[in-house]
Amino acid sequence: MSIDTAPAATALDATSGAATRRDILHRLLMTIVPILAALVIAGCILLAVGVDPLAYYGYVLEKGLFSPLGIQQTLTRMAPLLFLAAGLIVAFRAGMWNLGGDGQFLLGAVTAAASAPALVEILPAWLALFCSFLIAMLVAMIWSLVPALLRAYQGVNEIITTLMMTFLGTSLANVLVKLVFRDPGTTVPQTRTLPVEDRLPRLFETTITSGLLLGLAAIIIVHLVMTRTAFGLKLRIVGANPRAAVHAGLGVPGLTIAVFAISAGLAGLAGAVDIIGVQGNVRADWNPAYGLAVIPAVFLARMNGFAAIGFVFLLSVLSIGGESAARRLGVPNHFTLVLVSIVLIVLALAEYVDHRYHQSRKA
Amino acid sequence: MTGLFSEVFLSALLFGAVTAAIPLLLAGLGEQMSEKAGVLNIGIEGMMLAGAYLGFVGAFYSGSLWLGFLTGAAGGMAVALIMALLCVRIGLNQIVIGIALTLGLEGLTALLHHFQFSRSYPRLPAADATVIPLLSDIPVIGPAFFKHHLIVYLAVALVFAMGYLYRRTQLGLNLQAAGDKPAALDVAGIDVIRTRTIAVLSTGALAGLGGAYLANVGAGLFIPFITNGAGFLGIVLAMLARGRPVWVLFGALLFGVCLSLTTAMQVAGINIPTDVIQMLPFLAVMIMLVLFGRRASLPAALGIPYERGAR
């Protein structure tokens, strides 16, 4: 994997504008054509089980993209996914496989759900929400400390440790909901519910959460830090070649811990933004497992923040649209998983074919 | 509470531990083989699910558990074939494809189950056990370890067969080389792609078999998402075992005991959320890593697709 996709055109000649435009057009084509192909393949599966694919996709587009309510839901769904993607971009660019996003997400969500209703009673609403965000972020950061330290000072592979921490975190989140933060007023185990008026404000007259703006800000800031600052360059060097980074005099252990802290902190914020903005509480055994879908999306975006926004939007359209299409047509919602999977595989294949084509043209 | 440490309870607990450990063992052994050959197989959860579904369907319609195991292994292998084509042959990113396969199979098996059985969950008859004479008469241990389906003993035997394969055979060395220095293997005239493909396909078969055991013997039925992270546990086991099949066995048993303990506690009516017990094996392993964690001995070329002539 290259550290960064070099700008396609240097800004020296007058044709650069056209070249950039051609590059963007090419990228768009390379995304849209594979998605269409994936829809055709998934459509064959639908046909095989006796569902009209056109009707299905019609509902997906209508409910996920074109209906006012649907697009609002889609944009709302994007908020936590954007935070998760931002966290993964930092980790992956620095060459660290933080696969523990779901555990960090859930712990962030549970601590935010526990702290927000308590804090709004004693603090002004905006300060209470700010503090809950902060707590969720800190908890997730602390949670990532064990894999970070093990990787930084013992060289223990972080794939194992973060995977284990995510299993641990999922269980711990459940224990916290059932035993510690349980709302005594309900029979089903869940945390206290944050009143709707105290949640993150909605945007204008819509149902879109303002968490969307926070998520967009997070991922753009992460993108700029990784591509435009000395700190980002250091992280990318660690990712490209840790040994070279040591020789260049970088404090690799310290940077490793920083990467884990930022990545996990953003995952914790993802949990908080989902709870404080949308859900209001955490039910026991709630685990949306967003992380698993976001990881491949970030890879396909080549860890580019702006491209990741596009892929997150696509994921949200598919999941929101898929949910309602499934309800209308009597297909289980599981079909969305199949659809997402095929889209991911075909996109990866398309990238390979494109790469091969360019190589053969150069040669 | 009184029955907690009775002989019957204890042997039931250990029996359950073995039953829970076998799918993890098979998945772990499979993952280990892929990792040795340099392929990080994140799609193993999907392979297990394919094995569980097809294994169940095979056994359900044929009435033969063995045919179920066969179809399960074939199902896992079919998914592995996709992985081998995409990640080994043309070198796509192993994490993207692995996760995509897991997501896809989660959805596909749930979907097929829905259209086939709707909301009913038919059960298979209980698997008949192979009782090992004499050994099964030992109190507690006998009923716990020596009254299982024949495939359990075969799975344990496989641990030692794998150990032999890695240490004593040409193929074992080739696999190791494919993970550590694929270019050297290539120079020695052995096809890296082929070696890795063999490893990935074997992984699929083993994971599929594990899934089939989970559905057919462990649960006796198929429900969507039945593996519930067992494949990821297999990845953890394989990485912790550092290339030794025997360690996969120990790890699988440790996790098996904890999984069995969760059910046992529920049966005994002890009022602790099962989540607490589910945390135990991970806590144990994390503490072990913190105390004894040294540089993991993972293959040097793990996760890197091999391209001939590339530097």
Side-chain angles (χ1 to χ4, degrees), chain A residues 229-360:
Chain A
T229 66
F231 179 67
L233 180 65
K234 282 181 193 168
L235 294 188
R236 272 153 47 206
I237 295 171
V238 174
N241 190 340
R243 271 201 212 164
V246 174
H247 281 291
L250 298 180
V252 175
L255 287 173
T256 304
I257 294 169
V259 166
F260 272 96
I262 296 170
S263 177
L266 285 165
L269 287 175
V273 86
D274 207 10
I275 295 308
I276 296 176
V278 188
Q279 315 281 348
N281 61 24
V282 174
R283 277 159 283 118
D285 300 318
W286 177 71
N287 181 7
Y290 293 139
L292 212 53
V294 176
I295 290 170
V298 167
F299 268 112
L300 291 174
R302 296 185 170 196
M303 297 152 217
N304 176 309
F306 295 103
I309 295 175
F311 280 108
V312 163
F313 178 68
L314 176 70
L315 270 181
S316 308
V317 170
L318 288 180
S319 71
I320 295 288
E323 276 167 28
S324 69
R327 233 175 293 129
R328 301 244 191 126
L329 291 173
V331 197
N333 194 12
H334 310 306
F335 181 72
T336 315
L337 286 173
V338 180
L339 185 58
V340 169
S341 149
I342 295 175
V343 168
L344 291 172
I345 292 176
V346 178
L347 277 170
L349 261 176
E351 200 186 287
Y352 167 80
V353 172
D354 187 46
H355 177 69
R356 261 315 174 64
Y357 174 70
H358 277 286
Q359 257 186 349
S360 66

Side-chain angles (χ1 to χ4, degrees), chain A residues 7-172:
Chain A
T10 44
L12 284 174
D13 51 327
T15 56
S16 72
T20 323
R21 227 171 299 140
R22 213 176 318 134
D23 188 50
I24 290 174
L25 190 73
H26 174 244
R27 287 275 172 86
L28 268 178
L29 265 179
M30 282 310 296
T31 312
I32 291 168
V33 173
I35 290 174
L36 287 178
L39 291 181
V40 171
I41 299 172
C44 295
I45 297 181
L46 279 178
L47 269 181
V49 294
V51 176
D52 179 6
L54 290 179
Y56 183 89
Y57 292 138
Y59 281 128
V60 170
L61 282 181
E62 189 202 323
K63 293 305 279 187
L65 201 55
F66 294 128
S67 82
L69 193 69
I71 185 77
Q72 291 174 15
Q73 280 180 325
T74 299
L75 292 173
T76 298
R77 171 67 57 86
M78 281 178 75
L81 299 183
L82 285 173
F83 273 105
L84 278 170
L88 290 177
I89 288 174
V90 176
F92 291 169
R93 284 217 176 199
M96 297 183 202
W97 307 97
N98 177 14
L99 300 185
D102 281 332
Q104 294 149 8
F105 172 90
L106 281 174
L107 284 174
V110 169
T111 42
S115 55
L119 287 174
V120 284
E121 287 168 8
I122 49 172
L123 293 174
W126 65 272
L127 190 60
L129 295 192
F130 181 75
C131 289
S132 320
F133 271 111
L134 208 63
I135 293 171
M137 187 177 79
L138 287 175
V139 165
M141 280 177 163
I142 293 168
W143 189 248
S144 77
L145 210 56
V146 179
L149 290 173
L150 280 173
R151 155 96 193 216
Y153 294 106
Q154 302 282 338
V156 177
N157 181 290
E158 73 283 6
I159 298 180
I160 334 172
T161 49
T162 52
L163 264 179
M164 285 203 292
M165 291 302 273
T166 209
F167 280 108
L168 263 178
T170 318
S171 300
L172 183 62

Side-chain angles (χ1 to χ4, degrees), chain B residues 29-260:
Chain B
L29 286 177
E31 180 69 28
Q32 187 170 51
M33 197 168 197
S34 273
E35 281 180 15
K36 251 190 204 294
V39 181
L40 180 63
N41 196 336
I42 300 232
I44 194 163
E45 178 92 5
M47 296 173 195
M48 286 188 87
L49 271 168
Y53 176 72
L54 287 177
F56 173 78
V57 169
F60 182 70
Y61 287 116
S62 72
S64 152
L65 268 187
W66 285 103
L67 204 73
F69 290 138
L70 204 67
T71 51
M77 225 165 163
V79 180
L81 187 65
I82 303 177
M83 176 117 194
L85 283 176
L86 295 180
C87 296
V88 178
R89 197 151 284 273
I90 67 175
L92 296 187
N93 186 305
Q94 294 167 7
I95 293 186
V96 173
I97 299 300
I99 292 180
L101 284 178
T102 293
L103 290 178
L105 265 300
E106 276 180 356
L108 194 63
T109 51
L111 202 66
L112 289 174
H113 181 268
H114 172 87
F115 282 105
Q116 203 162 7
F117 301 107
S118 191
R119 292 200 185 281
S120 69
Y121 299 98
R123 278 188 163 276
L124 292 176
D128 44 343
T130 307
V131 179
I132 295 186
L134 293 181
L135 287 175
S136 60
D137 295 331
I138 307 171
V140 183
I141 294 178
F145 291 108
F146 300 108
K147 283 187 176 173
H148 283 277
H149 192 268
L150 184 56
I151 195 114
V152 172
Y153 311 119
L154 292 179
V156 175
L158 186 67
V159 173
F160 299 99
M162 290 288 229
Y164 181 82
L165 174 79
Y166 295 141
R167 273 162 194 268
R168 295 265 183 269
T169 66
Q170 182 74 42
L171 179 64
L173 288 177
N174 289 351
L175 287 171
Q176 190 105 35
D180 275 330
K181 201 144 185 71
L185 187 66
D186 203 0
V187 169
I190 290 157
D191 192 341
V192 176
I193 305 294
R194 200 169 146 247
T195 311
R196 286 187 169 181
T197 305
I198 293 173
V200 171
L201 289 181
S202 315
T203 304
L206 286 174
L209 189 61
Y213 178 87
L214 186 66
N216 292 351
V217 182
L221 78 174
F222 179 84
I223 42 174
F225 307 99
I226 188 173
T227 49
N228 193 19
F232 288 104
L233 272 178
I235 298 174
V236 168
L237 284 177
M239 287 194 159
L240 287 173
R242 299 184 180 182
R244 299 235 182 96
V246 176
W247 282 101
V248 180
L249 177 64
F250 292 149
L253 283 174
L254 171 71
F255 281 89
V257 168
C258 289
L259 286 172
S260 170

